[in-house]
Amino acid sequence: KELGFSIPRTISTLHLLIKLQFVRRMLAKKTNEEILGLSDANDPKLYTAINIMTRVCSFGFSKQNVNLRVYLAVLVTELTINCGLSPYSNFGLGCLGMTELLLGNEE
């Protein structure tokens, strides 16, 4: 909450779909060049929070708590678009891309 966002205690499929749709709309407004041209986020607390989220995600997309892992990847993408690039942004964007492919969205 200190950084301006919170993570629900339990992430339902509905939570995940709402967050995913929100971030899809954010990304639809930007070109790849605009995303790559984002300024760097300069908040060390934000870097730490994103780093922790990517580490939780990096345990793999297993059956256990998959909603949490996908939600965090989508949240990392949202924070990147809103706050700028961090050393961990590529992980969130990559996980979001894999999620979209798994859902059959190849755009």
Side-chain angles (χ1 to χ4, degrees):
K1 290 183 179 184
E2 186 177 318
L3 293 172
F5 66 91
S6 60
I7 299 169
R9 288 185 185 262
T10 304
I11 298 171
S12 67
T13 302
L14 181 60
H15 277 114
L16 182 57
L17 290 174
I18 290 169
K19 180 62 84 175
L20 183 59
Q21 196 60 29
F22 176 76
V23 171
R24 282 176 177 161
R25 282 190 301 248
M26 289 176 68
L27 288 171
K29 296 176 185 175
K30 299 209 176 279
T31 65
N32 289 342
E33 291 76 23
E34 289 173 325
I35 294 169
L36 294 172
L38 289 170
S39 61
D40 291 339
N42 293 320
D43 185 349
K45 290 180 182 180
L46 181 66
Y47 278 14
T48 301
I50 291 175
N51 185 14
I52 291 168
M53 287 187 277
T54 59
R55 289 177 186 264
V56 169
C57 291
S58 70
F59 289 111
F61 285 85
S62 68
K63 290 181 182 178
Q64 183 181 10
N65 225 344
V66 71
N67 281 359
L68 172 63
R69 293 165 194 222
V70 174
Y71 187 91
L72 292 177
V74 173
L75 182 56
V76 167
T77 302
E78 179 185 359
L79 291 171
T80 296
I81 299 301
N82 286 334
C83 303
L85 297 171
S86 77
Y88 315 103
S89 295
N90 60 339
F91 185 87
L93 290 164
C95 286
L96 179 63
M98 287 190 302
T99 299
E100 292 289 10
L101 286 173
L102 289 171
L103 292 172
N105 301 325
E106 298 181 17
E107 295 179 16

